[in-house]
Amino acid sequence: MTNDLTPHPDPEMNQFEQDLLLSIQQAKRGEGRVTSGAEIARRMAGRPPLAVHKQPVTLRMAPDALARWRASGKGWQTRAATMLAAHAPA
């Protein structure tokens, strides 16, 4: 690959410039992945809004009960909320 730019004194920046030129050349040849504006907009849209929002609450629990929930692993708050919802008064 020929580089028409004067090499940058910073080796990391010089490597970045070389990689950027290589990417541009590949895009011109139709190689690699080309991202459209619509695809970029779709990626930036994020998670769709929920129909029902959860509400934060403060709940006082016995220390040993809280320790058991936390020891049950990742997602313990969701499991606890599901259990509370299942046993809520009608």
Short mmCIF file of all heavy atoms in Angstrom, two decimals, residues 8-73:
data_model
loop_
_atom_site.label_atom_id
_atom_site.label_comp_id
_atom_site.label_asym_id
_atom_site.label_seq_id
_atom_site.Cartn_x
_atom_site.Cartn_y
_atom_site.Cartn_z
N HIS A 8 3.06 10.39 10.46
CA HIS A 8 2.81 11.13 11.70
C HIS A 8 3.88 10.74 12.71
O HIS A 8 4.29 9.59 12.77
CB HIS A 8 1.41 10.78 12.22
CG HIS A 8 0.89 11.75 13.21
ND1 HIS A 8 1.24 11.71 14.53
CD2 HIS A 8 0.03 12.79 13.08
CE1 HIS A 8 0.62 12.67 15.17
NE2 HIS A 8 -0.12 13.35 14.31
N PRO A 9 4.34 11.69 13.55
CA PRO A 9 5.40 11.35 14.52
C PRO A 9 4.92 10.35 15.58
O PRO A 9 5.72 9.60 16.13
CB PRO A 9 5.77 12.69 15.16
CG PRO A 9 4.71 13.65 14.78
CD PRO A 9 4.02 13.12 13.56
N ASP A 10 3.60 10.32 15.84
CA ASP A 10 3.06 9.38 16.82
C ASP A 10 2.77 8.06 16.12
O ASP A 10 1.96 8.00 15.20
CB ASP A 10 1.78 9.96 17.43
CG ASP A 10 1.14 9.04 18.45
OD1 ASP A 10 1.77 8.04 18.84
OD2 ASP A 10 0.00 9.32 18.87
N PRO A 11 3.43 6.95 16.52
CA PRO A 11 3.24 5.68 15.82
C PRO A 11 1.79 5.18 15.85
O PRO A 11 1.30 4.61 14.89
CB PRO A 11 4.16 4.70 16.56
CG PRO A 11 4.95 5.49 17.52
CD PRO A 11 4.40 6.86 17.59
N GLU A 12 1.10 5.43 16.94
CA GLU A 12 -0.30 4.99 17.04
C GLU A 12 -1.17 5.75 16.03
O GLU A 12 -2.03 5.17 15.37
CB GLU A 12 -0.82 5.21 18.46
CG GLU A 12 -2.17 4.61 18.72
CD GLU A 12 -2.57 4.70 20.18
OE1 GLU A 12 -1.70 4.67 21.05
OE2 GLU A 12 -3.79 4.80 20.42
N MET A 13 -0.94 7.05 15.90
CA MET A 13 -1.70 7.85 14.95
C MET A 13 -1.33 7.47 13.53
O MET A 13 -2.19 7.41 12.65
CB MET A 13 -1.42 9.34 15.18
CG MET A 13 -2.27 10.22 14.32
SD MET A 13 -4.00 9.91 14.62
CE MET A 13 -4.61 11.53 14.77
N ASN A 14 -0.07 7.16 13.29
CA ASN A 14 0.38 6.72 11.97
C ASN A 14 -0.32 5.42 11.59
O ASN A 14 -0.79 5.27 10.46
CB ASN A 14 1.91 6.54 11.97
CG ASN A 14 2.48 6.40 10.59
OD1 ASN A 14 1.90 6.88 9.62
ND2 ASN A 14 3.62 5.75 10.49
N GLN A 15 -0.42 4.49 12.52
CA GLN A 15 -1.11 3.22 12.26
C GLN A 15 -2.59 3.47 11.98
O GLN A 15 -3.18 2.86 11.09
CB GLN A 15 -0.96 2.26 13.45
CG GLN A 15 -1.57 0.91 13.22
CD GLN A 15 -0.89 0.15 12.09
OE1 GLN A 15 0.33 0.07 12.04
NE2 GLN A 15 -1.67 -0.40 11.18
N PHE A 16 -3.20 4.39 12.73
CA PHE A 16 -4.61 4.72 12.52
C PHE A 16 -4.83 5.25 11.10
O PHE A 16 -5.77 4.86 10.42
CB PHE A 16 -5.08 5.75 13.55
CG PHE A 16 -6.45 6.30 13.26
CD1 PHE A 16 -7.58 5.56 13.54
CD2 PHE A 16 -6.60 7.56 12.70
CE1 PHE A 16 -8.84 6.06 13.26
CE2 PHE A 16 -7.85 8.07 12.42
CZ PHE A 16 -8.98 7.32 12.71
N GLU A 17 -3.95 6.16 10.67
CA GLU A 17 -4.07 6.73 9.33
C GLU A 17 -3.93 5.65 8.25
O GLU A 17 -4.68 5.64 7.28
CB GLU A 17 -3.02 7.83 9.13
CG GLU A 17 -3.30 9.09 9.92
CD GLU A 17 -2.19 10.11 9.82
OE1 GLU A 17 -1.10 9.79 9.28
OE2 GLU A 17 -2.40 11.25 10.28
N GLN A 18 -2.99 4.74 8.44
CA GLN A 18 -2.81 3.65 7.47
C GLN A 18 -4.04 2.76 7.43
O GLN A 18 -4.50 2.37 6.34
CB GLN A 18 -1.57 2.84 7.82
CG GLN A 18 -0.27 3.57 7.57
CD GLN A 18 0.94 2.75 8.00
OE1 GLN A 18 0.82 1.60 8.38
NE2 GLN A 18 2.12 3.36 7.94
N ASP A 19 -4.58 2.43 8.60
CA ASP A 19 -5.78 1.58 8.66
C ASP A 19 -6.98 2.28 8.02
O ASP A 19 -7.79 1.66 7.35
CB ASP A 19 -6.10 1.21 10.11
CG ASP A 19 -5.06 0.29 10.72
OD1 ASP A 19 -4.28 -0.32 9.97
OD2 ASP A 19 -5.03 0.19 11.97
N LEU A 20 -7.08 3.58 8.24
CA LEU A 20 -8.18 4.35 7.66
C LEU A 20 -8.08 4.36 6.14
O LEU A 20 -9.08 4.14 5.45
CB LEU A 20 -8.17 5.79 8.21
CG LEU A 20 -9.28 6.70 7.72
CD1 LEU A 20 -10.64 6.15 8.10
CD2 LEU A 20 -9.09 8.11 8.28
N LEU A 21 -6.89 4.59 5.61
CA LEU A 21 -6.70 4.57 4.15
C LEU A 21 -7.02 3.20 3.57
O LEU A 21 -7.65 3.09 2.52
CB LEU A 21 -5.27 4.98 3.80
CG LEU A 21 -4.93 6.45 4.00
CD1 LEU A 21 -3.44 6.69 3.78
CD2 LEU A 21 -5.75 7.32 3.06
N LEU A 22 -6.61 2.15 4.27
CA LEU A 22 -6.91 0.80 3.82
C LEU A 22 -8.43 0.57 3.79
O LEU A 22 -8.96 0.00 2.84
CB LEU A 22 -6.24 -0.23 4.73
CG LEU A 22 -6.50 -1.69 4.40
CD1 LEU A 22 -5.99 -2.03 3.00
CD2 LEU A 22 -5.86 -2.59 5.44
N SER A 23 -9.13 1.03 4.82
CA SER A 23 -10.59 0.88 4.87
C SER A 23 -11.27 1.61 3.73
O SER A 23 -12.21 1.10 3.12
CB SER A 23 -11.13 1.41 6.21
OG SER A 23 -10.67 0.64 7.27
N ILE A 24 -10.79 2.80 3.42
CA ILE A 24 -11.36 3.58 2.32
C ILE A 24 -11.14 2.85 0.99
O ILE A 24 -12.05 2.76 0.17
CB ILE A 24 -10.77 5.00 2.29
CG1 ILE A 24 -11.25 5.79 3.51
CG2 ILE A 24 -11.14 5.72 1.00
CD1 ILE A 24 -10.53 7.10 3.72
N GLN A 25 -9.95 2.32 0.81
CA GLN A 25 -9.66 1.59 -0.43
C GLN A 25 -10.54 0.36 -0.54
O GLN A 25 -11.06 0.04 -1.62
CB GLN A 25 -8.18 1.21 -0.47
CG GLN A 25 -7.26 2.39 -0.67
CD GLN A 25 -5.80 2.00 -0.50
OE1 GLN A 25 -5.48 0.88 -0.15
NE2 GLN A 25 -4.92 2.97 -0.76
N GLN A 26 -10.73 -0.37 0.56
CA GLN A 26 -11.59 -1.55 0.53
C GLN A 26 -13.03 -1.17 0.22
O GLN A 26 -13.71 -1.87 -0.54
CB GLN A 26 -11.52 -2.28 1.87
CG GLN A 26 -10.21 -2.99 2.11
CD GLN A 26 -10.12 -3.57 3.51
OE1 GLN A 26 -10.79 -3.13 4.43
NE2 GLN A 26 -9.24 -4.55 3.67
N ALA A 27 -13.51 -0.07 0.78
CA ALA A 27 -14.88 0.37 0.52
C ALA A 27 -15.05 0.74 -0.96
O ALA A 27 -16.07 0.43 -1.57
CB ALA A 27 -15.22 1.56 1.41
N LYS A 28 -14.05 1.40 -1.54
CA LYS A 28 -14.12 1.76 -2.95
C LYS A 28 -14.17 0.52 -3.84
O LYS A 28 -14.80 0.54 -4.90
CB LYS A 28 -12.92 2.63 -3.34
CG LYS A 28 -13.02 4.05 -2.83
CD LYS A 28 -11.81 4.86 -3.26
CE LYS A 28 -11.89 6.29 -2.80
NZ LYS A 28 -10.70 7.06 -3.21
N ARG A 29 -13.50 -0.56 -3.44
CA ARG A 29 -13.51 -1.80 -4.22
C ARG A 29 -14.75 -2.64 -3.94
O ARG A 29 -14.95 -3.68 -4.55
CB ARG A 29 -12.26 -2.62 -3.89
CG ARG A 29 -10.96 -2.01 -4.40
CD ARG A 29 -9.80 -2.98 -4.28
NE ARG A 29 -9.59 -3.48 -2.92
CZ ARG A 29 -8.68 -3.01 -2.07
NH1 ARG A 29 -7.88 -2.02 -2.42
NH2 ARG A 29 -8.56 -3.53 -0.87
N GLY A 30 -15.58 -2.21 -2.99
CA GLY A 30 -16.78 -2.96 -2.64
C GLY A 30 -16.52 -4.11 -1.69
O GLY A 30 -17.35 -4.99 -1.52
N GLU A 31 -15.37 -4.10 -1.05
CA GLU A 31 -15.04 -5.14 -0.09
C GLU A 31 -15.49 -4.71 1.30
O GLU A 31 -15.69 -3.54 1.57
CB GLU A 31 -13.53 -5.37 -0.06
CG GLU A 31 -12.95 -5.83 -1.36
CD GLU A 31 -11.43 -5.86 -1.33
OE1 GLU A 31 -10.83 -5.53 -0.30
OE2 GLU A 31 -10.85 -6.20 -2.37
N GLY A 32 -15.62 -5.68 2.16
CA GLY A 32 -15.95 -5.36 3.53
C GLY A 32 -17.40 -4.95 3.70
O GLY A 32 -18.23 -5.08 2.79
N ARG A 33 -17.70 -4.45 4.86
CA ARG A 33 -19.07 -4.10 5.20
C ARG A 33 -19.25 -2.59 5.10
O ARG A 33 -18.48 -1.83 5.68
CB ARG A 33 -19.36 -4.56 6.62
CG ARG A 33 -20.75 -4.27 7.03
CD ARG A 33 -21.04 -4.86 8.37
NE ARG A 33 -22.36 -4.43 8.76
CZ ARG A 33 -22.90 -4.65 9.90
NH1 ARG A 33 -22.22 -5.31 10.81
NH2 ARG A 33 -24.10 -4.23 10.19
N VAL A 34 -20.28 -2.17 4.39
CA VAL A 34 -20.60 -0.76 4.26
C VAL A 34 -21.91 -0.53 5.01
O VAL A 34 -22.89 -1.22 4.79
CB VAL A 34 -20.74 -0.34 2.78
CG1 VAL A 34 -21.12 1.12 2.67
CG2 VAL A 34 -19.45 -0.62 2.04
N THR A 35 -21.89 0.42 5.91
CA THR A 35 -23.06 0.69 6.74
C THR A 35 -23.84 1.86 6.15
O THR A 35 -23.27 2.91 5.86
CB THR A 35 -22.61 1.04 8.17
OG1 THR A 35 -21.79 -0.02 8.65
CG2 THR A 35 -23.80 1.20 9.08
N SER A 36 -25.13 1.66 5.97
CA SER A 36 -25.98 2.72 5.41
C SER A 36 -26.44 3.67 6.53
O SER A 36 -26.39 3.32 7.71
CB SER A 36 -27.21 2.12 4.74
OG SER A 36 -28.05 1.52 5.70
N GLY A 37 -26.91 4.83 6.14
CA GLY A 37 -27.42 5.79 7.12
C GLY A 37 -28.61 5.24 7.88
O GLY A 37 -28.76 5.48 9.08
N ALA A 38 -29.47 4.49 7.19
CA ALA A 38 -30.65 3.90 7.85
C ALA A 38 -30.22 2.88 8.91
O ALA A 38 -30.83 2.80 9.98
CB ALA A 38 -31.55 3.24 6.81
N GLU A 39 -29.17 2.12 8.60
CA GLU A 39 -28.69 1.12 9.57
C GLU A 39 -28.10 1.80 10.79
O GLU A 39 -28.31 1.36 11.93
CB GLU A 39 -27.65 0.22 8.91
CG GLU A 39 -27.29 -0.98 9.74
CD GLU A 39 -26.36 -1.93 9.01
OE1 GLU A 39 -26.14 -1.76 7.81
OE2 GLU A 39 -25.86 -2.85 9.66
N ILE A 40 -27.38 2.89 10.58
CA ILE A 40 -26.82 3.63 11.71
C ILE A 40 -27.94 4.20 12.57
O ILE A 40 -27.90 4.11 13.80
CB ILE A 40 -25.88 4.75 11.21
CG1 ILE A 40 -24.64 4.14 10.56
CG2 ILE A 40 -25.50 5.69 12.34
CD1 ILE A 40 -23.76 5.14 9.86
N ALA A 41 -28.97 4.76 11.94
CA ALA A 41 -30.10 5.32 12.70
C ALA A 41 -30.81 4.24 13.49
O ALA A 41 -31.21 4.46 14.64
CB ALA A 41 -31.06 6.01 11.75
N ARG A 42 -30.95 3.06 12.91
CA ARG A 42 -31.62 1.95 13.60
C ARG A 42 -30.82 1.53 14.83
O ARG A 42 -31.37 1.29 15.89
CB ARG A 42 -31.79 0.76 12.66
CG ARG A 42 -32.51 -0.43 13.29
CD ARG A 42 -32.54 -1.63 12.37
NE ARG A 42 -31.23 -2.08 11.94
CZ ARG A 42 -30.39 -2.82 12.67
NH1 ARG A 42 -30.71 -3.18 13.88
NH2 ARG A 42 -29.22 -3.19 12.18
N ARG A 43 -29.51 1.47 14.71
CA ARG A 43 -28.66 1.08 15.83
C ARG A 43 -28.73 2.10 16.96
O ARG A 43 -28.64 1.76 18.12
CB ARG A 43 -27.21 0.95 15.39
CG ARG A 43 -26.93 -0.29 14.62
CD ARG A 43 -25.43 -0.39 14.41
NE ARG A 43 -25.13 -1.21 13.28
CZ ARG A 43 -23.97 -1.21 12.65
NH1 ARG A 43 -23.02 -0.39 13.04
NH2 ARG A 43 -23.77 -1.99 11.64
N MET A 44 -28.85 3.37 16.61
CA MET A 44 -28.84 4.43 17.62
C MET A 44 -30.20 4.62 18.27
O MET A 44 -30.32 5.35 19.24
CB MET A 44 -28.35 5.73 17.00
CG MET A 44 -26.92 5.64 16.52
SD MET A 44 -26.33 7.15 15.77
CE MET A 44 -26.17 8.20 17.19
N ALA A 45 -31.23 3.96 17.74
CA ALA A 45 -32.57 4.15 18.28
C ALA A 45 -32.69 3.63 19.70
O ALA A 45 -33.48 4.15 20.49
CB ALA A 45 -33.60 3.46 17.37
N GLY A 46 -31.96 2.60 20.06
CA GLY A 46 -32.01 2.06 21.41
C GLY A 46 -33.20 1.14 21.62
O GLY A 46 -33.88 0.73 20.69
N ARG A 47 -33.43 0.83 22.87
CA ARG A 47 -34.49 -0.09 23.24
C ARG A 47 -35.84 0.60 23.08
O ARG A 47 -36.00 1.75 23.47
CB ARG A 47 -34.29 -0.51 24.69
CG ARG A 47 -35.30 -1.51 25.19
CD ARG A 47 -35.12 -1.81 26.63
NE ARG A 47 -33.84 -2.46 26.85
CZ ARG A 47 -33.46 -2.97 28.00
NH1 ARG A 47 -34.25 -2.88 29.05
NH2 ARG A 47 -32.29 -3.54 28.14
N PRO A 48 -36.85 -0.12 22.55
CA PRO A 48 -38.17 0.51 22.43
C PRO A 48 -38.76 0.78 23.82
O PRO A 48 -38.50 0.04 24.77
CB PRO A 48 -39.01 -0.53 21.68
CG PRO A 48 -38.20 -1.76 21.60
CD PRO A 48 -36.80 -1.44 21.99
N PRO A 49 -39.55 1.83 23.96
CA PRO A 49 -40.11 2.16 25.27
C PRO A 49 -41.09 1.08 25.74
O PRO A 49 -41.79 0.46 24.95
CB PRO A 49 -40.84 3.49 25.04
CG PRO A 49 -41.04 3.58 23.58
CD PRO A 49 -39.96 2.78 22.93
N LEU A 50 -41.11 0.85 27.04
CA LEU A 50 -42.00 -0.14 27.63
C LEU A 50 -43.41 0.43 27.75
O LEU A 50 -43.59 1.62 28.00
CB LEU A 50 -41.51 -0.54 29.02
CG LEU A 50 -40.14 -1.22 29.09
CD1 LEU A 50 -39.73 -1.41 30.54
CD2 LEU A 50 -40.19 -2.55 28.38
N ALA A 51 -44.40 -0.43 27.59
CA ALA A 51 -45.80 0.00 27.73
C ALA A 51 -46.11 0.27 29.20
O ALA A 51 -46.82 1.21 29.54
CB ALA A 51 -46.74 -1.06 27.18
N VAL A 52 -45.58 -0.57 30.08
CA VAL A 52 -45.80 -0.41 31.53
C VAL A 52 -44.44 -0.20 32.18
O VAL A 52 -43.54 -1.03 32.04
CB VAL A 52 -46.47 -1.67 32.12
CG1 VAL A 52 -46.65 -1.51 33.61
CG2 VAL A 52 -47.80 -1.93 31.44
N HIS A 53 -44.30 0.91 32.87
CA HIS A 53 -43.03 1.23 33.52
C HIS A 53 -43.02 0.66 34.93
O HIS A 53 -44.02 0.73 35.64
CB HIS A 53 -42.82 2.74 33.57
CG HIS A 53 -42.71 3.36 32.23
ND1 HIS A 53 -41.57 3.28 31.47
CD2 HIS A 53 -43.60 4.06 31.49
CE1 HIS A 53 -41.76 3.92 30.33
NE2 HIS A 53 -42.99 4.40 30.31
N LYS A 54 -41.90 0.12 35.33
CA LYS A 54 -41.74 -0.35 36.70
C LYS A 54 -41.49 0.86 37.59
O LYS A 54 -40.92 1.86 37.16
CB LYS A 54 -40.58 -1.33 36.81
CG LYS A 54 -40.83 -2.60 36.04
CD LYS A 54 -39.65 -3.54 36.20
CE LYS A 54 -39.90 -4.82 35.43
NZ LYS A 54 -38.76 -5.73 35.54
N GLN A 55 -41.93 0.75 38.84
CA GLN A 55 -41.76 1.85 39.78
C GLN A 55 -40.73 1.47 40.83
O GLN A 55 -40.82 0.38 41.41
CB GLN A 55 -43.08 2.20 40.45
CG GLN A 55 -44.11 2.74 39.50
CD GLN A 55 -45.40 3.11 40.22
OE1 GLN A 55 -45.60 2.79 41.37
NE2 GLN A 55 -46.27 3.82 39.51
N PRO A 56 -39.78 2.35 41.10
CA PRO A 56 -38.81 2.04 42.16
C PRO A 56 -39.49 2.16 43.53
O PRO A 56 -40.34 3.02 43.75
CB PRO A 56 -37.74 3.12 41.98
CG PRO A 56 -38.41 4.23 41.26
CD PRO A 56 -39.51 3.61 40.43
N VAL A 57 -39.12 1.25 44.42
CA VAL A 57 -39.67 1.25 45.78
C VAL A 57 -38.55 1.00 46.78
O VAL A 57 -37.48 0.50 46.43
CB VAL A 57 -40.76 0.17 45.98
CG1 VAL A 57 -41.96 0.42 45.10
CG2 VAL A 57 -40.21 -1.21 45.74
N THR A 58 -38.82 1.33 48.03
CA THR A 58 -37.92 0.99 49.12
C THR A 58 -38.61 -0.08 49.94
O THR A 58 -39.77 0.08 50.33
CB THR A 58 -37.63 2.23 50.00
OG1 THR A 58 -37.04 3.23 49.17
CG2 THR A 58 -36.70 1.88 51.13
N LEU A 59 -37.92 -1.18 50.18
CA LEU A 59 -38.49 -2.31 50.89
C LEU A 59 -37.55 -2.70 52.01
O LEU A 59 -36.36 -2.89 51.79
CB LEU A 59 -38.67 -3.48 49.91
CG LEU A 59 -39.23 -4.78 50.46
CD1 LEU A 59 -40.69 -4.57 50.89
CD2 LEU A 59 -39.16 -5.86 49.40
N ARG A 60 -38.08 -2.82 53.21
CA ARG A 60 -37.24 -3.24 54.34
C ARG A 60 -37.36 -4.75 54.49
O ARG A 60 -38.46 -5.29 54.56
CB ARG A 60 -37.69 -2.54 55.62
CG ARG A 60 -37.45 -1.05 55.57
CD ARG A 60 -37.89 -0.39 56.88
NE ARG A 60 -37.66 1.01 56.83
CZ ARG A 60 -36.54 1.61 57.24
NH1 ARG A 60 -35.55 0.90 57.74
NH2 ARG A 60 -36.42 2.91 57.16
N MET A 61 -36.20 -5.41 54.52
CA MET A 61 -36.17 -6.87 54.62
C MET A 61 -35.21 -7.28 55.74
O MET A 61 -34.28 -6.55 56.07
CB MET A 61 -35.67 -7.50 53.31
CG MET A 61 -36.55 -7.26 52.12
SD MET A 61 -35.85 -7.94 50.59
CE MET A 61 -35.96 -9.68 50.92
N ALA A 62 -35.43 -8.46 56.26
CA ALA A 62 -34.49 -9.02 57.23
C ALA A 62 -33.16 -9.27 56.53
O ALA A 62 -33.13 -9.68 55.36
CB ALA A 62 -35.03 -10.33 57.79
N PRO A 63 -32.05 -8.98 57.20
CA PRO A 63 -30.73 -9.13 56.55
C PRO A 63 -30.49 -10.53 55.99
O PRO A 63 -29.91 -10.67 54.90
CB PRO A 63 -29.74 -8.82 57.67
CG PRO A 63 -30.50 -7.98 58.64
CD PRO A 63 -31.92 -8.44 58.56
N ASP A 64 -30.92 -11.57 56.70
CA ASP A 64 -30.67 -12.93 56.20
C ASP A 64 -31.50 -13.21 54.94
O ASP A 64 -31.03 -13.88 54.02
CB ASP A 64 -30.93 -13.97 57.28
CG ASP A 64 -32.38 -13.97 57.77
OD1 ASP A 64 -32.97 -12.87 57.88
OD2 ASP A 64 -32.91 -15.06 58.05
N ALA A 65 -32.72 -12.70 54.87
CA ALA A 65 -33.55 -12.89 53.68
C ALA A 65 -32.94 -12.17 52.48
O ALA A 65 -32.86 -12.72 51.37
CB ALA A 65 -34.97 -12.40 53.93
N LEU A 66 -32.48 -10.95 52.70
CA LEU A 66 -31.84 -10.19 51.63
C LEU A 66 -30.57 -10.90 51.15
O LEU A 66 -30.32 -11.00 49.94
CB LEU A 66 -31.52 -8.77 52.10
CG LEU A 66 -30.83 -7.87 51.08
CD1 LEU A 66 -31.68 -7.70 49.84
CD2 LEU A 66 -30.52 -6.52 51.71
N ALA A 67 -29.80 -11.42 52.09
CA ALA A 67 -28.56 -12.13 51.73
C ALA A 67 -28.88 -13.36 50.88
O ALA A 67 -28.15 -13.66 49.92
CB ALA A 67 -27.80 -12.54 52.99
N ARG A 68 -29.95 -14.08 51.20
CA ARG A 68 -30.32 -15.26 50.41
C ARG A 68 -30.74 -14.86 49.00
O ARG A 68 -30.40 -15.52 48.02
CB ARG A 68 -31.44 -16.04 51.11
CG ARG A 68 -30.94 -16.79 52.34
CD ARG A 68 -31.93 -17.84 52.82
NE ARG A 68 -33.30 -17.37 52.94
CZ ARG A 68 -33.85 -16.86 54.05
NH1 ARG A 68 -33.12 -16.74 55.15
NH2 ARG A 68 -35.10 -16.48 54.07
N TRP A 69 -31.51 -13.77 48.86
CA TRP A 69 -31.91 -13.31 47.53
C TRP A 69 -30.68 -12.93 46.71
O TRP A 69 -30.54 -13.32 45.56
CB TRP A 69 -32.86 -12.11 47.60
CG TRP A 69 -34.29 -12.51 47.78
CD1 TRP A 69 -35.06 -12.32 48.88
CD2 TRP A 69 -35.12 -13.15 46.82
NE1 TRP A 69 -36.32 -12.83 48.66
CE2 TRP A 69 -36.38 -13.34 47.40
CE3 TRP A 69 -34.93 -13.59 45.52
CZ2 TRP A 69 -37.44 -13.94 46.73
CZ3 TRP A 69 -35.97 -14.19 44.85
CH2 TRP A 69 -37.22 -14.37 45.45
N ARG A 70 -29.79 -12.15 47.31
CA ARG A 70 -28.59 -11.72 46.59
C ARG A 70 -27.70 -12.91 46.24
O ARG A 70 -27.07 -12.92 45.17
CB ARG A 70 -27.81 -10.70 47.42
CG ARG A 70 -28.49 -9.35 47.45
CD ARG A 70 -27.67 -8.35 48.21
NE ARG A 70 -28.24 -7.01 48.06
CZ ARG A 70 -27.95 -5.99 48.84
NH1 ARG A 70 -27.11 -6.15 49.85
NH2 ARG A 70 -28.50 -4.83 48.64
N ALA A 71 -27.63 -13.90 47.10
CA ALA A 71 -26.80 -15.08 46.84
C ALA A 71 -27.38 -15.93 45.71
O ALA A 71 -26.66 -16.75 45.14
CB ALA A 71 -26.68 -15.92 48.12
N SER A 72 -28.65 -15.71 45.37
CA SER A 72 -29.26 -16.50 44.31
C SER A 72 -28.75 -16.09 42.92
O SER A 72 -29.05 -16.74 41.93
CB SER A 72 -30.79 -16.40 44.37
OG SER A 72 -31.23 -15.11 44.00
N GLY A 73 -27.98 -15.02 42.85
CA GLY A 73 -27.32 -14.66 41.59
C GLY A 73 -27.95 -13.49 40.87
O GLY A 73 -28.89 -12.85 41.35
#
